Amino acid sequence: MDTNLKVLMVDASSGYYRVNRYRVGDFFGPVDLGLHLSAKHNSLNIGAGLLAGSIFPGTNRLIFTGFSPCWGGFYVSSMGGAALVFDNLGINLLSLMGRAPVPSVMYLNRLHGEEVELELCPVDPAAVWGQGRGGIYAMMDHAYGLFGHRYATDPRILAVGPAALATDFGAIASVPITKGEISCVDTWAGRGGFGTKMLREHNIAAIIYGGTVVDEDFRDRKVADQWFVDKYEKRIAAKDIEATAKYRFVEKLETGGTFGVNFATLAGAMISFNYRSIYMSEEERLRIHKEFVLDHYLKQFNDETIKTKQQKTCGEPCGAVCKKMNHEFKKDYEPYQTMGPLSGIFDQRAAEKLNHRADLLGFDGISAGGVVAWLMECLNEQYILPEDLGITGVPRFSPEGFDVVADSMHNAEIGTAILDAIIEKKGVMDFSEGARKFARRLSRDRGAAVMDCFVYNAYARTGWMVPNQYWTPGALSPMAIMGKYYMHYGSEFVPPRELGRKNADRLRKELVMDNMGLCRFHRGWGEEMLPEIMGSLYGLKDEFLSNIAFTAARINSRNSSIYWESKRNVDFVHQFLKRKRDVDGNTDPALQTWIEFFDRDPGEAALSFWYEIHKGITESLREFK
Ligand code: SF4
């Protein structure tokens, strides 16, 4: 087993590289080491967990860390399956520093017993994005055409699209390659804008990597099965099948995957029309959910994807087969929610059109959908005009008389035009410094209403993040990293101080998985078993856990979360609280007190609520207690 973490330190400005070693025990994985390297070099760090290549399912997630262009603070993003091939390089982490003199494709290869080979090949990104399949797909094809023939086994490619150049929320995409075939199962390090970081800060448009290094990955199934039997009275495979059921198929719901299970169960908690559903009656919300989603959007998904069993993995052997496909379109809940109901789209053809455009352009899909939905409301309310955005037409942005097929497609076309206008910087559309700065400038010209209907988490001076798509205050918490599940997103009412503590607890548990490169869909055993595994394999269980607590505190020490800037954020929480009382029948006196406070003085109540969450976070994530 590795006793050192091997880091390939690459200076893109000179092409110079070396391998640094860090003792396991001082650091444990891509997050704590990434935090250390980011603080030292402002690097983009891409790495695998210690269990990559092992027999444990879900341990081949590729983890990206660095200071995020859109969030403004340290961020962690991850991509399914991509560490399986990365492990063949015989390193644990790539740390990218400096800026290449010209835009380049980076080639990394390593044959067993030899040194890492690295080359930088100049590329004209705009020309490549415009050819063949376009955008990120064309960039992958280009990198594969340049270097694919040099690999003894299938490599993998990380690529960015035009959104990485034009905005601060460009993502990094990759797809598994099998027997020389580039598949259509996109995997994404979407959140945090690391595509923008890779291209704008390092001038790297794609990285192709692979090799044939065989290292001492843990592969003793008999021993590992015994650990699981001792804990769960089940072997690994059986426990994993149980833990990942939601992502495969849920008998009772007759659907599966994040899209299927969430849309089947959200009911009146579903968010639509740029969060305007929070102002509707429960009856109206249930009508939208029943008529537009259960009877159409979800039904299409179940007929086309679930019944035909179009399901794939992210590239690693995994029984969860969570990638629910309709031919080349992959249906995940969050992008198909922001570029679905949130944008007034309730039809699969329309959602596929908009999601595919966002993917091709290389956007973080969740944030792209949040921006599209916000601009649609601005157009609908005439805060801005189509010509301001360099587009034509206005969306149909009300459930009244909504034609679920025709109006969804109409809205998808407007959404697609908005994304194209962002890339081409049409009209007032300049997102190069992010949506929050753009919104601020626009609201100075067009009035505060523009800003007031944009829902985002704010960080430091310009950082922003479209929240995870759950109607719960946890999604708007002042955590040091927002936009992923480093917070409590349960739908029950939790008093805000307690919510802050739960957020902190969630952060530590998620770090256990991210620092080991485990896909969180396996958290049903991962949170508990990973520290045990560190104990069994390295004798470092206590050190691992104290390192996690220390890393969480260090991440939180930079917490520059900013109090909610838009009125819609305040209303999101206020309406949530009322729904808990009026719909769920919650009679908790603490809930009633908060509702009365919000009714009486929403501004002051929201500020207090926000600070109470913050207190719970701060008291839980102190380095010294
Ligand atoms: S659950 Fe999905 S993303 Fe996670 S390892 Fe399995 S196939 Fe990959």
Side-chain angles (χ1 to χ4, degrees), residues 54-75:
S54 73
I55 52 159
F56 296 106
T59 49
N60 294 298
R61 215 161 169 87
L62 194 62
I63 309 291
F64 298 70
T65 64
F67 287 96
S68 151
C70 57
W71 182 238
F74 178 74
Y75 208 84

Side-chain angles (χ1 to χ4, degrees), residues 50-254:
L50 275 170
L51 296 176
S54 73
I55 52 159
F56 296 106
T59 49
N60 294 298
R61 215 161 169 87
L62 194 62
I63 309 291
F64 298 70
T65 64
F67 287 96
S68 151
C70 57
W71 182 238
F74 178 74
Y75 208 84
V76 182
S77 198
S78 66
M79 175 186 277
L84 194 59
V85 177
F86 191 88
D87 191 47
N88 297 340
L89 278 169
I91 56 171
N92 303 91
L93 199 102
L94 162 69
S95 187
L96 197 52
M97 304 171 291
R99 189 170 196 276
V102 293
S104 303
V105 173
M106 180 180 285
Y107 161 77
L108 288 171
N109 195 358
R110 188 172 182 190
L111 292 174
H112 192 61
E114 296 186 10
E115 293 297 305
V116 176
E117 277 179 52
L118 183 149
E119 273 179 46
L120 291 171
C121 176
V123 65
D124 177 350
V128 171
W129 291 327
Q131 69 195 23
R133 296 193 289 156
I136 55 147
Y137 304 109
M139 187 57 76
M140 283 185 215
D141 293 344
H142 180 73
Y144 197 57
L146 282 176
F147 294 112
H149 61 281
R150 295 203 199 168
Y151 290 91
T153 53
D154 288 321
R156 195 140 167 166
I157 302 162
L158 309 174
V160 305
L165 202 58
T167 76
D168 66 349
F169 60 116
I172 300 177
S174 178
V175 296
I177 301 174
T178 312
K179 296 192 180 131
E181 284 284 308
I182 299 182
S183 85
C184 55
V185 189
D186 310 353
T187 58
W188 293 86
R191 311 244 68 191
F194 284 137
T196 299
K197 190 172 180 79
M198 193 161 108
L199 186 62
R200 280 208 212 152
E201 295 177 24
H202 303 293
N203 234 354
I204 302 295
I207 300 175
I208 180 166
Y209 63 91
T212 56
V213 175
V214 182
D215 50 18
E216 302 163 42
D217 298 324
F218 177 77
R219 303 208 57 85
D220 192 335
R221 185 167 293 276
K222 220 169 140 195
V223 169
D225 270 338
Q226 192 55 52
W227 297 337
F228 274 66
V229 168
D230 290 347
K231 185 91 180 170
Y232 301 113
E233 296 177 359
K234 280 190 177 86
R235 292 182 184 177
I236 299 177
K239 180 64 190 170
D240 194 56
I241 288 288
E242 174 192 288
T244 56
K246 169 181 173 183
Y247 305 103
R248 188 174 40 258
F249 183 74
V250 180
E251 201 94 23
K252 197 172 72 179
L253 300 172
E254 295 181 0

Side-chain angles (χ1 to χ4, degrees), residues 58 61 80-81 247 312-316 318 320-323 519 521-522:
R61 215 161 169 87
Y247 305 103
K312 303 253 189 248
T313 74
C314 59
E316 73 165 276
C318 173
V321 282
C322 74
K323 306 296 172 202
C519 165
F521 292 178
H522 300 261

Side-chain angles (χ1 to χ4, degrees), residues 298-508:
L298 177 64
K299 184 173 183 306
Q300 287 176 305
F301 170 79
N302 285 339
D303 289 346
E304 295 166 353
T305 295
I306 297 298
K307 286 185 187 153
T308 57
K309 295 204 167 123
Q310 289 194 62
Q311 46 189 25
K312 303 253 189 248
T313 74
C314 59
E316 73 165 276
C318 173
V321 282
C322 74
K323 306 296 172 202
K324 306 301 186 203
M325 311 292 296
N326 182 30
H327 304 293
E328 71 268 41
F329 304 109
K330 176 167 63 73
K331 309 290 171 81
D332 287 327
Y333 166 65
E334 292 210 88
Y336 272 77
Q337 155 60 21
T338 61
M339 290 182 280
L342 196 73
S343 295
I345 294 168
F346 302 87
D347 176 72
Q348 292 293 340
R349 300 296 81 74
E352 284 165 358
K353 182 183 175 73
L354 181 55
N355 276 269
H356 181 68
R357 193 72 195 157
D359 287 351
L360 183 142
L361 295 172
F363 280 103
D364 162 13
I366 303 172
S367 283
V371 166
V372 163
W374 163 55
L375 292 175
M376 281 189 172
E377 179 167 341
C378 291
L379 287 166
N380 186 67
E381 296 298 322
Q382 299 185 346
Y383 303 147
I384 50 177
L385 301 172
E387 47 270 35
D388 294 329
L389 307 185
I391 65 166
T392 51
V394 291
R396 308 207 172 110
F397 221 56
S398 158
E400 284 316 309
F402 190 85
D403 181 320
V404 80
V405 174
D407 290 346
S408 291
M409 186 52 84
H410 173 81
N411 289 343
E413 278 161 5
I414 301 235
T416 306
I418 288 174
L419 295 183
D420 287 346
I422 289 175
I423 297 297
E424 291 161 30
K425 299 200 167 134
K426 285 185 177 169
V428 298
M429 298 281 246
D430 183 355
F431 278 72
S432 52
E433 293 180 278
R436 184 165 157 220
K437 242 185 150 173
F438 172 80
R440 212 182 272 154
R441 270 199 302 265
L442 202 59
S443 66
R444 261 182 228 130
D445 275 3
R446 312 292 162 93
V450 167
M451 193 82 169
D452 270 340
C453 60
F454 184 26
V455 174
Y456 61 94
N457 287 295
Y459 189 91
R461 179 79 181 94
T462 58
W464 67 286
M465 186 64 59
V466 169
N468 296 106
Q469 293 294 296
Y470 295 92
W471 187 8
T472 174
L476 296 181
S477 291
M479 288 289 280
I481 295 176
M482 285 300 292
K484 49 190 287 137
Y485 297 100
Y486 286 179
M487 45 84 191
H488 176 74
Y489 56 100
S491 62
E492 76 281 22
F493 166 70
V494 180
R497 183 79 170 252
E498 179 59 23
L499 176 58
R501 293 186 198 121
K502 277 181 172 281
N503 287 337
D505 187 49
R506 192 75 245 145
L507 169 64
R508 282 188 292 258

Side-chain angles (χ1 to χ4, degrees), residues 263 266-278 333 337 341-342 346 468-472 572:
F263 279 120
L266 279 168
M270 193 186 79
I271 311 160
S272 58
F273 296 104
N274 194 40
Y275 308 88
R276 293 202 300 191
S277 53
I278 64 172
Y333 166 65
Q337 155 60 21
L342 196 73
F346 302 87
N468 296 106
Q469 293 294 296
Y470 295 92
W471 187 8
T472 174
F572 179 97

Side-chain angles (χ1 to χ4, degrees), residues 534-545:
M534 285 310 295
S536 302
L537 294 182
Y538 294 91
L540 293 171
K541 179 183 168 187
D542 293 344
E543 291 83 348
F544 176 71
L545 284 172

